[in-house]
């Protein structure tokens, strides 16, 4: 039986890591790859943090575990997800029930933390002042030993504050890395997992500084700030080396990411396109007509945000109450102005998710399930294939994938009905109604990077082959592989498989009957906690 250490590098991509490894800038990742296996890791569709980590944790597709995005939409409204939204047992719960000890630190969608045979410190989507640990008070013992544990970045990126932004993210890695090392010393569990978020956050903002082919690449600013992304990876690599010094010889090490990363060039207001094609309709009242006219004249969330930025007030916006901000947002054209009685489809979510206004699922659904649903879905697909860049007339849509080709299971009906792949993910959708009056526009916060379908997978251990490349690993394969490495059977309802091609041993894979769904769904956060987490997602660009 092997112990397992998992290091999660959010948004990790071989596009950056491989050249740095070749240049001897990441010696510990280089060592792991040389002594083990490596390869691309296929993420979820869409390749988004919130469904990807539960998919890793459960070994199941989102149709079985129930988390498809940061939010659960319904007719333009939405609820945030949390750990209780995951409707399948997680890897650490399965290990705990089998008597193994576990420690899980900073993994997204783990708040509120669930009881385990060990400890949990919850990650992204946790409120700042919530009870983020199991057992409660776990961090109290470090009050005089380490700095206070940090849940999230303190600095929101905007062009011009790069130095402060970079320093904050480096400090976040430093804080979490030191806690990881101390926890390894104090709690040498059978299964340990540590997650680093800063890579994702920095790459969203600073990708144009490491990519000379990016339309917004500037050699002068790249010379000043381009090294920061590598510096961040080097610090994680250094902590990885220190973790390797603390593990036993029987430990398998897995380094992985939830998705990859690449350049972001444009943002698409998909709802405006659906409106143009008559698939989405607006109310005919005077108030909506006035807002529509003002929106087309330039009174948009983007224009107001740019004024706020120029005045240097963007950090103060988040100190205004959520209800007040919602009232302000409601003054713009929004989902409140949609005539749902004549709307066939709408978009919500930042990677191109489209929902049919389905009767029985949507609050004011009009499309009948069955033949009408299939016909409307095809109508939307046909329209999307005509979406083009206005300046070049080149097609914008690479693929439109129906949701039922992506997920299956008891919660599959909550899935987006269509996943739109926009220009190889060089374009994404505006998450809510629309950011401005153009169908093709730019990211309101100045981001220059976004997610890709394939992340990273590196493994080294006593049962792992040496010096080989694996081409077919998926994020949902890791939970069953870890269970197998730890000498445990794989639940029969896991969709993932044991990556036997990575192993030097040929032990047969054991399967056992499925485990029951876990916990109560959609509980655990107060209204205040929900508002705080929602604000943080907005500041990161995931909710507009």
């Amino acid at each position: 039986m092997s112990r397992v250490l998992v290091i999660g590098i959010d948004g990790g991509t071989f596009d950056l890591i491989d050249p740095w490894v070749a240049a001897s800038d990441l010696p510990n990742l280089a060592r792991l790859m040389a002594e083990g296996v490596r390869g691309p890791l296929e993420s979820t569709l869409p390749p988004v943090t919130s469904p990807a980590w539960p998919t890793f944790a459960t070994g199941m597709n989102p149709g079985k575990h129930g988390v498809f995005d940061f939010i659960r939409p319904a007719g333009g409204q939405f609820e945030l997800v949390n750990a209780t939204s995951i409707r399948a047992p997680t890897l650490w719960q399965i290990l705990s029930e089998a008597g193994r000890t576990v420690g899980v630190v900073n993994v997204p969608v783990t708040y509120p933390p669930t009881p385990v045979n060990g400890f949990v410190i919850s990650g992204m989507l946790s409120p700042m002042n919530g009870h983020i640990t199991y057992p409660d008070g776990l961090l109290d013992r470090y009050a005089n030993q380490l700095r206070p544990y940090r849940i999230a970045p303190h600095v929101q990126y905007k062009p011009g504050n790069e130095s402060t932004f970079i320093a904050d993210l480096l400090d976040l890695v430093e804080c979490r890395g030191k806690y990881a090392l101390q926890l390894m010393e104090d709690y040498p569990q059978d299964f340990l997992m540590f997650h680093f978020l800063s890579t994702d956050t920095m790459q969203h903002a600073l990708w144009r500084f490491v990519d000379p082919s990016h339309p917004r690449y500037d050699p002068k600013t790249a010379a000043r700030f381009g090294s920061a992304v590598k510096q961040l990876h080097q610090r994680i690599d250094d902590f990885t080396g220190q973790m390797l010094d603390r593990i036993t010889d029987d430990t398998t090490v897995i380094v992985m990411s939830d998705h990859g990363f690449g350049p972001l060039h444009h943002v698409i207001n998909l709802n405006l396109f659906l409106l143009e094609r008559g698939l989405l309709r607006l109310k005919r009242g005077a108030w909506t007509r006035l807002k529509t006219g003002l929106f087309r004249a330039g009174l948009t969330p983007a224009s107001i945000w740019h004024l706020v930025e120029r005045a240097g007030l963007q950090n103060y916006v988040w100190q205004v109450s959520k209800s007040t901000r919602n009232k302000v947002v409601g003054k713009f054209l929004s989902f409140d102005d949609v005539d749902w009685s004549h709307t066939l489809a709408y978009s919500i979510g930042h990677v191109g998710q489209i929902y049919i206004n389905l009767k029985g699922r949507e609050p004011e659904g009009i499309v009948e399930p069955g033949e009408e649903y299939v016909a409307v879905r095809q109508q939307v697909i046909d329209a999307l294939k005509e979406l083009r860049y206005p300046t070049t007339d080149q097609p914008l849509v690479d693929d439109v994938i129906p949701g039922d080709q992506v997920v299956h299971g008891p919660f599959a009906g909550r899935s987006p009905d269509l996943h739109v792949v926009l220009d190889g993910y060089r374009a994404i959708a505006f998450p809510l109604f629309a950011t401005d009056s153009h169908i093709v526009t730019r990211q309101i916060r100045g981001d220059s990077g976004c997610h890709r379908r394939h992340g990273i997978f590196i493994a080294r251990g006593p049962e792992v082959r040496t010096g080989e490349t694996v081409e077919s690993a998926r994020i949902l394969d890791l939970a069953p592989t870890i269970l197998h490495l730890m000498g445990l059977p794989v639940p029969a309802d896991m969709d993932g498989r044991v990556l036997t091609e990575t192993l030097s041993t040929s032990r047969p894979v054991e399967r056992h009957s499925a485990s029951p769904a876990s916990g109560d769904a959609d509980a655990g956060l107060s209204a205040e906690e929900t508002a705080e987490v929602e604000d943080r997602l907005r500041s990161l660009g995931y909710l507009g």
Side-chain angles (χ1 to χ4, degrees):
M1 181 198 80
S2 177
R3 295 184 179 214
V4 173
L5 167 66
V6 179
I7 301 171
I9 301 177
D10 209 290
T13 173
F14 285 125
D15 289 347
L16 296 180
I17 289 171
D18 277 348
W20 294 333
V21 165
S24 301
D25 293 322
L26 303 175
N28 295 298
L29 291 183
R31 171 185 163 194
L32 289 171
M33 285 190 269
E35 296 175 355
V37 300
R38 56 156 288 164
L41 187 68
E42 183 180 316
S43 183
T44 50
L45 189 67
V48 175
T49 299
S50 44
W53 288 111
T55 296
F56 158 78
T58 63
M60 299 181 187
N61 83 90
K64 287 185 179 178
H65 64 64
V67 178
F68 299 89
D69 201 341
F70 290 107
I71 59 175
R72 178 177 296 165
Q77 303 299 314
F78 61 84
E79 298 175 349
L80 294 181
V81 301
N82 61 70
T84 67
S85 306
I86 302 173
R87 304 297 294 137
T90 61
L91 176 61
W92 30 95
Q93 290 172 314
I94 294 170
L95 290 170
S96 295
E97 290 172 4
R100 307 298 164 83
T101 57
V102 303
V104 179
V105 178
N106 199 52
V107 176
V109 204
T110 51
Y111 183 87
T114 54
V116 295
N117 185 25
F119 66 88
V120 175
I121 303 174
S122 61
M124 186 179 185
L125 303 187
S126 302
M128 294 289 192
N129 297 317
H131 295 281
I132 65 168
T133 70
Y134 177 85
D136 197 19
L138 172 72
L139 298 176
D140 292 347
R141 67 178 292 183
Y142 302 113
N144 298 318
Q145 186 176 355
L146 296 170
R147 291 186 298 139
Y149 186 79
R150 288 187 57 188
I151 286 290
H154 293 325
V155 179
Q156 178 188 348
Y157 171 72
K158 69 167 185 173
N161 77 338
E162 286 85 359
S163 295
T164 306
F165 176 75
I166 290 165
D168 180 62
L169 291 181
L170 287 169
D171 181 74
L172 183 59
V173 166
E174 195 73 19
C175 175
R176 289 180 177 168
K178 288 181 177 178
Y179 270 93
L181 298 177
Q182 192 61 54
L183 288 163
M184 289 184 75
E185 291 283 351
D186 296 340
Y187 303 97
Q189 314 289 54
D190 299 322
F191 172 86
L192 281 169
M193 180 168 183
F194 301 102
H195 170 273
F196 291 97
L197 174 68
S198 295
T199 40
D200 179 275
T201 308
M202 184 176 284
Q203 289 169 178
H204 271 295
L206 305 186
W207 187 270
R208 66 189 178 100
F209 298 136
V210 297
D211 181 1
S213 68
H214 197 283
R216 291 192 283 129
Y217 178 82
D218 175 69
K220 289 184 178 180
T221 51
R224 292 182 62 195
F225 304 118
S227 63
V229 182
K230 181 170 74 171
Q231 185 181 358
L232 192 74
H233 281 76
Q234 288 177 308
R235 197 68 193 101
I236 293 172
D237 184 82
D238 181 60
F239 278 120
T240 298
Q242 294 181 66
M243 291 180 195
L244 296 180
D245 292 339
R246 286 165 168 76
I247 60 176
T248 55
D249 291 340
D250 66 342
T251 301
T252 298
V253 180
I254 294 174
V255 180
M256 47 85 67
S257 64
D258 52 338
H259 50 71
F261 234 87
L264 170 63
H265 294 174
H266 296 93
V267 171
I268 313 302
N269 287 314
L270 280 176
N271 286 308
L272 296 188
F273 177 76
L274 297 173
L275 179 63
E276 181 184 88
R277 293 307 178 99
L279 297 164
L280 180 147
R281 300 285 184 88
L282 298 179
K283 297 173 182 175
R284 301 179 61 84
W287 180 229
T288 295
R289 290 203 304 271
L290 174 62
K291 288 201 285 185
T292 302
L294 292 172
F295 197 88
R296 289 172 175 164
L299 185 61
T300 66
S303 64
I304 299 303
W305 181 252
H306 294 322
L307 288 174
V308 169
E309 280 190 320
R310 283 196 289 271
L313 299 175
Q314 68 277 4
N315 289 329
Y316 294 99
V317 170
W318 310 115
Q319 298 176 21
V320 178
S321 71
K322 178 184 174 183
S323 61
T324 300
R325 281 185 280 109
N326 284 345
K327 291 177 182 177
V328 173
V329 171
K331 304 301 181 184
F332 299 105
L333 197 65
S334 70
F335 282 120
D336 291 341
D337 299 292
V338 172
D339 179 359
W340 296 105
S341 67
H342 291 89
T343 287
L344 298 177
Y346 68 99
S347 173
I348 188 168
H350 73 289
V351 191
Q353 302 96 309
I354 289 182
Y355 292 82
I356 304 302
N357 192 23
L358 184 65
K359 186 177 291 187
R361 180 187 68 186
E362 305 295 326
E364 299 178 66
I366 64 169
V367 178
E368 293 285 351
E371 292 183 5
E372 185 180 0
Y373 168 81
V374 173
V376 169
R377 190 177 66 177
Q378 188 60 49
Q379 185 181 353
V380 177
I381 293 172
D382 293 341
L384 287 165
K385 289 180 177 178
E386 298 178 11
L387 182 56
R388 294 177 175 270
Y389 280 113
T391 54
T392 65
D393 201 39
Q394 293 297 309
L396 232 173
V397 174
D398 295 331
D399 202 1
V400 185
I401 306 166
D404 56 16
Q405 293 182 16
V406 176
V407 301
H408 62 276
F411 306 106
R414 300 176 181 175
S415 168
D417 297 292
L418 295 169
H419 298 272
V420 188
V421 181
L422 296 160
D423 193 16
Y425 294 110
R426 285 181 289 273
I428 59 173
F430 185 71
L432 300 179
F433 185 78
T435 179
D436 61 23
S437 58
H438 304 286
I439 291 175
V440 180
T441 186
R442 68 184 182 90
Q443 219 280 350
I444 195 171
R445 296 170 55 252
D447 283 2
S448 56
C450 202
H451 304 173
R452 294 297 186 273
R453 189 78 188 275
H454 288 86
I456 65 169
F457 169 62
I458 303 167
R460 187 205 71 178
E463 291 189 72
V464 178
R465 294 180 183 272
T466 300
E468 295 193 12
T469 299
V470 180
E471 296 292 351
S472 57
R474 303 169 298 170
I475 196 167
L476 51 70
D477 295 329
L478 297 189
T481 300
I482 290 167
L483 289 172
H484 182 68
L485 285 167
M486 298 185 73
L488 294 173
V490 178
D493 56 348
M494 279 191 174
D495 297 309
R497 65 182 182 88
V498 175
L499 295 170
T500 54
E501 68 271 31
T502 70
L503 305 180
S504 57
T505 57
S506 56
R507 288 186 293 110
V509 176
E510 295 182 55
R511 291 271 182 174
H512 69 57
S513 59
S515 302
S518 60
D520 295 326
D522 303 312
L525 270 70
S526 68
E528 293 77 13
E529 291 174 335
T530 299
E532 179 197 323
V533 174
E534 183 179 321
D535 287 347
R536 199 178 311 141
L537 288 175
R538 289 183 188 277
S539 72
L540 291 170
Y542 291 121
L543 286 181

